Amino acid sequence: MQTITLDRYADVRDAFRQHDLRQDMYDAGGLVMADCLLVLHGAEHRVRRRVENRLFRRGTFRHWEREFLHDVVRDTLRPFVDAGRGDLVEIGYRTVMNLTAMVAGVDRPHGSPEETDALYRFAKKFSEGATLVHTTRDPAEVQAEVSAALAEFDVSFLQPSIARRQALIARLDTGELTESELPRDVLTALLRNRDELGVDDDVIRRECAFYLQAGSHSTANAFTHAAHDYFTWAAQPGSTVGATTDGALLQHCVYESLRLHPASPVAQRRALAPITLRSGTEIPEGTVVVMDLAGANRDAAVFDRPLEYDPLREVPDDVPRWGHAFGGGMHACIGTELAGGVPSSEDGEQVLGTVTLMLGALIEAGGRPDPADPAERDPHSAREHFGRYPVVFDA
Ligand code: HEM
């Protein structure tokens, strides 16, 4: 079967917008991914996305950021600051796991660290299942573990979350509650629209599991990379950055790290019909199209000195600073605003996004790399993520 790899910025943007290119990355990961938003196509995708998009309207995350995101970030960081040390990978996951569970609609009845750890364990296993195509282990063994994790997740978290929401929806139906008193999360949206969407219990379970892992790994990895790039930049001879708390500057730093280290370095599609891209590239029907997001984000035709980390760089007006890190077209990341905020110049009111809030809180608390214990890459990931990143906090 023919494969075409696109690594030019314009080609990838054009390919994202092609309706005849269908998601092709997760067939092997069906145990977790079958019928999830990210693998649906055409009308099915449109209807599901419309229902789930309602939660992700611009105002929602502006409200979250104003009301509680700062506190979530600071509260999660506090025990590490008090202890004088921590690991950015752990700090990242602890912060985003609970936020992602809120978005998915997975309750944590006790709000305990043990629950967060359990969700983290599930999210890691679901992610391993989703990317089964890349596994270096025995696929059957991974599948058995993923099935067991899904069953355990269902009993311990999902069923109680469904029961609570169904009771609330019943009270809405009898007029005891108003619309605004229902939780604003994916699970509630699916339960309320299950007939229109044609989703059964299995699909609901997979969609919640998918959200848990899609939101957490990407955000936690973006945080670790952003912190590392920032520390390296600030430590350069002659740097005047210091311990900045300027939100707009830190947001530029986060976007620049996302450009250089996109959480998903490639996207993959299959051509349902013959396609000709604007550049003239011909894609015959049936071709597998690999979109090299990391490569396209280093395209010198768009990004001057593309390999250099320069948060203050100029970018063309029609190019986001993060390049293709949040994807594009029909599957463009639904969590862009939660994770990345809204670029400061685009709007009067600033929405910094979770990663920038996390980076700001880390710097404000005096966090810096532990000089006695250097960070290490994750040996089990081909994706140059950090496996551990020890930091110390200056009192
Ligand atoms: C820095 C953080 C993040 C990055 C870099 C990121 C990246 C991406 C990318 C590249 C895609 C498209 C994949 C493709 O086209 O094959 C995507 C889709 C998606 N992301 Fe994110 N993501 C992030 C955070 C989040 C968060 C916080 C959530 C939710 C809580 C989320 C939920 C989703 C969903 C549901 C989709 C599928 C959308 C669709 O198919 O219509 N992501 N993300």
Side-chain angles (χ1 to χ4, degrees), residues 16 23 26 37-38 45 49 56 100 103 210-211 214-215 218-219 222 258 263-264 267 269 293 324-327 330-335 338-339 355:
F16 269 134
Q23 179 63 256
Y26 301 100
L37 181 67
L38 187 55
H45 176 268
R49 175 98 188 196
F56 289 89
T100 317
V103 172
F210 158 60
Y211 263 88
S218 48
T219 314
L258 279 166
S264 312
R269 305 286 193 262
L293 308 187
H324 290 307
F326 287 113
M330 72 172 95
H331 291 295
C333 177
I334 209 168
L338 173 61
V355 185

Side-chain angles (χ1 to χ4, degrees), residues 326-368:
F326 287 113
M330 72 172 95
H331 291 295
C333 177
I334 209 168
T336 304
E337 194 175 311
L338 173 61
V342 180
S344 306
S345 58
E346 203 180 275
D347 202 290
E349 195 181 347
Q350 213 172 30
V351 183
L352 292 176
T354 316
V355 185
T356 300
L357 291 182
M358 290 161 76
L359 180 62
L362 176 71
I363 295 168
E364 209 177 296
R368 61 188 170 85

Side-chain angles (χ1 to χ4, degrees), residues 209-233:
F210 158 60
Y211 263 88
L212 266 196
Q213 55 104 357
S216 58
H217 293 295
S218 48
T219 314
N221 281 317
F223 167 60
T224 322
H225 277 298
H228 176 71
D229 288 342
Y230 174 83
F231 290 142
T232 311
W233 192 49

Side-chain angles (χ1 to χ4, degrees), residues 179-199:
E179 192 79 40
S180 63
E181 289 171 285
L182 285 186
R184 285 180 67 83
D185 53 46
V186 172
L187 178 55
T188 306
L190 294 178
L191 291 172
R192 291 190 70 194
N193 296 280
R194 60 187 302 163
D195 294 339
E196 183 199 348
L197 296 175
V199 290

